[in-house]
Amino acid sequence: MKRIAIDMDEVIADLHKKHLNIFNDKYNESLTPEDLQGTRLWKIRPHDADDILSYIDDPDFFRDLEVMEGSQEVIKELSESYEIYITTAAMEHPTSFTAKYEWLKEHFPFLSDLQFVFCGNKSIIHADYLIDDSPRHFKDFKGEGILFSAPHNRYESGYVRVENWNEVRSFFLS
Ligand SMILES: [Mg+2]
């Protein structure tokens, strides 16, 4: 069986929606994902960057993120013909461990604990494919990077790009 490594944030968990909502509430703004095409919130609001980046250090931040549409169904289907691992660069936010683990248990109960990989540099991951929204993780990855579309990566090129989980299904199962 071929092995697929799958990122969490912005691939199966909707981090940006919650992050943007917190920002908009706090600063009385109404930014949308359209405003973040090709950039990041902390880059377009540099004076508030430290504050914006601090939201995700809240230990509970990751616990109630919305599940990306279609990810549960498609990962369940992929599990029948591929080895699946959820690979998250959780070392970048160590306070997130418990919330991320509980979130995975709640929303992906058909995966076992041994399919969760909380890691640092993803080049250590030995898989045939890595589905991720951050192209930096593809740099030293030995398999094929599949770029999952997110506002910040809109103008990245040179990778197979999937817009949503329907396209992931088509790529791997057709
Ligand atoms: Mg990500």
Side-chain angles (χ1 to χ4, degrees), residues 84-103:
I84 301 295
Y85 288 90
I86 305 297
T87 57
T88 177
M91 288 315 300
E92 291 174 324
H93 303 285
T95 50
S96 71
F97 292 166
T98 303
K100 283 191 159 197
Y101 175 71
E102 289 175 354
W103 188 93

Side-chain angles (χ1 to χ4, degrees), residues 4-146:
I4 307 174
I6 301 169
D7 176 37
M8 277 184 82
D9 300 319
E10 284 309 291
V11 175
I12 62 173
D14 197 342
L15 180 145
H16 282 167
K17 181 187 275 183
K18 178 173 179 182
H19 197 247
L20 198 52
N21 284 343
I22 294 175
F23 173 83
N24 281 333
D25 283 350
K26 186 165 179 180
Y27 291 91
N28 203 19
E29 293 215 41
S30 48
L31 294 180
T32 70
E34 285 306 304
D35 299 311
L36 298 176
Q37 299 294 309
T39 188
R40 301 274 195 171
L41 184 52
W42 55 88
K43 289 184 182 162
I44 61 172
R45 292 290 185 276
H47 296 301
D48 301 312
D50 287 347
D51 180 51
I52 291 166
L53 288 166
S54 74
Y55 305 161
I56 50 184
D57 289 325
D58 175 346
D60 294 325
F61 178 86
F62 291 87
R63 186 62 188 88
D64 61 354
L65 297 184
E66 285 181 29
V67 180
M68 296 291 269
E69 194 181 346
S71 60
Q72 291 153 306
E73 296 81 355
V74 175
I75 290 175
K76 201 178 271 183
E77 284 177 49
L78 291 176
S79 298
E80 292 168 18
S81 353
Y82 295 89
E83 261 185 65
I84 301 295
Y85 288 90
I86 305 297
T87 57
T88 177
M91 288 315 300
E92 291 174 324
H93 303 285
T95 50
S96 71
F97 292 166
T98 303
K100 283 191 159 197
Y101 175 71
E102 289 175 354
W103 188 93
L104 284 169
K105 297 300 282 181
E106 178 183 351
H107 298 293
F108 292 84
F110 52 93
L111 298 175
S112 89
D113 286 359
L114 299 183
Q115 289 168 282
F116 303 151
V117 181
F118 285 34
C119 64
N121 189 322
K122 290 191 187 179
S123 67
I124 196 75
I125 302 294
H126 179 63
D128 298 284
Y129 303 95
L130 170 61
I131 305 174
D132 208 299
D133 65 300
S134 297
R136 68 192 166 97
H137 292 305
F138 301 148
K139 193 171 159 284
D140 296 311
F141 176 67
K142 302 292 187 293
E144 181 173 3
I146 309 288

